[in-house]
Every structure is written in structure tokens, then in C-alpha cells.
Amino acid sequence: MSMPVNPWALYICRACGLIYDEQKGDADSGLAAGTRFADIPDDWACPLCGVTKSDFEPYVVEAPARRSSSTNNSQAHNAALRRDAGTVIVGAGRAGWQMAEALRARDASMTITMITSCNGDVYDKPMLSVAMAKGIAPGKLARETGSAAASRLNIRLMTNTHAVRVTPANRQVRTTRGTLRYRQLVLAHGAEAWLPPQFPPALCWRINHLQAYAKFRSMLGNAPQRIAVVGAGLIGSELANDLALAGHAVTLIDIATRPLAAALNEAQSQQLLDAWAPLPVTFVGGVQVSEIRLTSHSNIKEVITRCGQIFTVDHIVVAAGLQTPDRLAIRAGLAWNNGIAVDAGTLATSQAHIHALGDCISINGQVSRFIEPIGRQARAVAAHLVGDVGMPYRHTPVPLRIKTTSLPFSL
């Protein structure tokens, strides 16, 4: 192919950071090498996060600084890691960091590489729904920066990097920052907040990680806001409770006729409603949201139910449950059963040299998206990876702690 008159251009996805290179194209999306961005159909979707072509913008690579010996050494180190990244962990949530801790406790010299789409800071996700009641500012929620944790554990941390595709046949992980060759791969990327189709992403908040929570808190400002929380399950009820304690007027909406219907009996749900009585929180049950509408008044939104009720609010938080993203697993040929299907004892997937743990897995079709099992899962996987077959994971029922601080429950 002859070189075109115009140089090849790069475009970056504003949503996830994926870079489209016209010269290379994107075989995963059916775009041949040399496909100009202008020639891509308008309905083309980002192969990583699914946004449309309109969410991409030109990307210019800054000229590199003059190389020093340390730069050369660093580049040689990075090249070596691309050839052998050792044990690669995808995800820097609790499961990812627990995995890194367990591996380092077993093997002081193992090469470990962690890939994360965020900055990798270590924090406790359950604190996101009680931070206001405890008077914790978002900037104080991280217990340790990602870089500090990586230095302490002597691992390579690739921040703001997405895993795009896993190729088990040659043990490679393609990322937005290059392709790595792994010896063992551990998927710990968790689950994501589910957004029903009637909720436009640009008009709704989903609070499932620290960065989203920090942005939400900054948008709230210091004045009381009107907030609709859709979903009165565990996360929705805890967030509604916390926001109301902070003085915001909260409307908690659910298709069930009482809050936390899947976890509490009728008497307990009523006790919670009684505890909320002095707070600016209103529960509206037995309804289903049919439409979200942006009004003409400075970002004011309307939540419209199928029965015709309209709630006018400043912010909408959707807490409709979690779902495991399946793209990485399906393309890798991993067995899928309501999540990444893993062996009950070893947490090995259906492909050799790949394990998984945390919110992204299922055991016999059942998910267990709680904090307590993650440490035991990480230790079991670490033991298996170093050859200790005498330490299988055993799934046991876990206590459920509902942190509605006005009236907490332990079940």
C-alpha cells in the first residue's frame, strides 16, 4: 500500500481512552489497516466501551523529551515486561489489590503487573455510601495511593489503561498501552452498575467507584439538592440515607413496594421507614420509571413513572444493580454463567493459566458480590498459582451488613 498524501492520524475515545490509529485500523471492529477515521460509519462503536464515533477526538502525541540513560533503562524495562509481564492482574479494586497482596506474601520475587482503568488508589468501596454520615471528604477516602501500594508490593502498575482483549493461545493481553505477555492471568475487574435503557447515561449518576463518587460530591456543592435515587436495594438505600443525613431532599424510587424488599422482612422495612421519618427522604414504591427528561431550566431533570408521576430533581442516581461486563471474557473464550464461570475450589476459568475472583465471577451460576469472600478467594488463587493444592476456596454464606446509619441491620 502506497503512503497517502495526508499523514496517518490518531483519535482517542473521550470515554475510555482507547486510541484509534488509522494506519493500524482495528481488526476487532472489522476495520482494516489504513481505514481513515472519516470513512468509518457513524454508527460504529468503540470496541472497548461502546460509545459512538462522535465521542472520539483527534489525539496528538507529544514529542518525547531527550533520552537519558535512566529513560533508556526504563524503556528497556518496559520492553522486557511486554515480553514477560509475569502474573498479570486486571483490575485494581479490592479484589485486584488483595490478589497482589496474597501473591507477594507467597512469593517475594514473582513478577506482577496490574492493569487498571483508574489511578489504582486503594480504598474501601462500602465507605462510599456512608461517607457523608461519617464526615469523610472524598479526598480522604483513599487509604493508600496506587503508586505507593505498587511500590510497597514491588509490582508494575499500569494506570488509566484498559484491557481490550485476551488471547489465551499465546498468553497475551492487548491493552490501550500495548500488548503484554503473561505467565498467569487473574481477572479481577469487578462488575459495573447496570443502567436500564430508559436512563440516558449523560443525565444519570452511577456510584460504583471512587472517581465517580468524588465527581458526584463535587457537583453537589454545599447547597441542598433534590436527588432521585432509583433502586431501593442495598446501595440505593444506603446512599439515600447518607444523602438525606447531609440535608439533601431525596426521593427513593423502586419497583418493589418497600425498601430493601429482597433483604428485609416487612416489619424491618417498616422500621427503616420509621427511622427515615425525620429525614428529607421520601420512599415511592411499586412504580417503574419510564422516562428521564431534561427540562429547559438549567439542567433540571424530570423522572417520569409509568403511572404518570413526575419528580423534578437536580440529580438522578441509578442503583438498579450490578452486571459483569462480558466482552473480555467472551472474546477470550471463557465459559460464562451469569459471570465468569470458575471452578469452585481453585477459581480457575475454563482456559488454562487464567483465574478470576471477586464480583466478576460466578460459581455454579451464582454470584457473591460481597467484601468478605474476596480475601479468601485471593489466598486460594495465590496458593494454586504457586502449586499449593491443599488450600482450596470454600464458599460459605456471608453476613450482610446494611449500612443505613439511621437504622443499620446485620443479617
Side-chain angles (χ1 to χ4, degrees), residues 258-291:
R258 53 190 177 86
L260 285 160
L264 303 181
N265 58 39
E266 290 188 17
Q268 290 170 322
S269 290
Q270 187 57 52
Q271 291 171 4
L272 181 58
L273 290 171
D274 293 341
W276 282 343
L279 300 178
V281 55
T282 301
F283 175 71
V284 180
V287 299
Q288 186 169 355
V289 175
S290 61
E291 183 183 357

Side-chain angles (χ1 to χ4, degrees), residues 36 119 130 165 179 211 244-245 254 268 280 315 322 350 358 366:
R36 290 292 191 180
N119 59 15
V130 296
R165 186 163 191 165
T179 299
Q211 289 177 312
L245 286 172
D254 200 273
Q268 290 170 322
H315 299 279
L322 299 175
S350 60
Q366 299 296 314

Side-chain angles (χ1 to χ4, degrees), residues 142-206:
R143 294 189 285 108
E144 187 177 18
T145 66
S147 58
S151 177
R152 174 174 57 83
L153 292 171
N154 188 26
I155 70 172
R156 182 198 187 196
L157 177 64
M158 298 177 64
T159 61
N160 303 306
T161 303
H162 294 264
V164 178
R165 186 163 191 165
V166 175
T167 310
N170 52 15
R171 297 200 208 178
Q172 287 186 343
V173 183
R174 176 189 168 195
T175 79
T176 50
R177 295 182 184 271
T179 299
L180 307 179
R181 185 179 294 276
Y182 62 84
R183 296 186 185 183
Q184 302 288 341
L185 177 65
V186 181
L187 300 178
H189 52 68
E192 59 189 12
W194 178 57
L195 191 66
Q198 67 268 36
F199 293 88
L203 301 182
C204 303
W205 294 96
R206 285 171 286 173

Side-chain angles (χ1 to χ4, degrees), residues 114-145:
M114 180 181 287
I115 303 168
T116 175
S117 59
C118 63
N119 59 15
D121 288 352
V122 183
Y123 68 98
D124 296 316
K125 186 183 290 188
M127 294 300 295
L128 300 184
S129 57
V130 296
M132 295 184 187
K134 294 182 178 294
I136 304 174
K140 299 294 184 181
L141 284 168
R143 294 189 285 108
E144 187 177 18
T145 66

Side-chain angles (χ1 to χ4, degrees), residues 229-275:
V229 177
V230 182
L234 183 64
I235 302 302
S237 294
E238 290 180 354
L239 280 171
N241 183 95
D242 209 42
L243 290 164
L245 286 172
H248 300 291
V250 179
T251 302
L252 179 60
I253 303 170
D254 200 273
I255 193 170
T257 56
R258 53 190 177 86
L260 285 160
L264 303 181
N265 58 39
E266 290 188 17
Q268 290 170 322
S269 290
Q270 187 57 52
Q271 291 171 4
L272 181 58
L273 290 171
D274 293 341

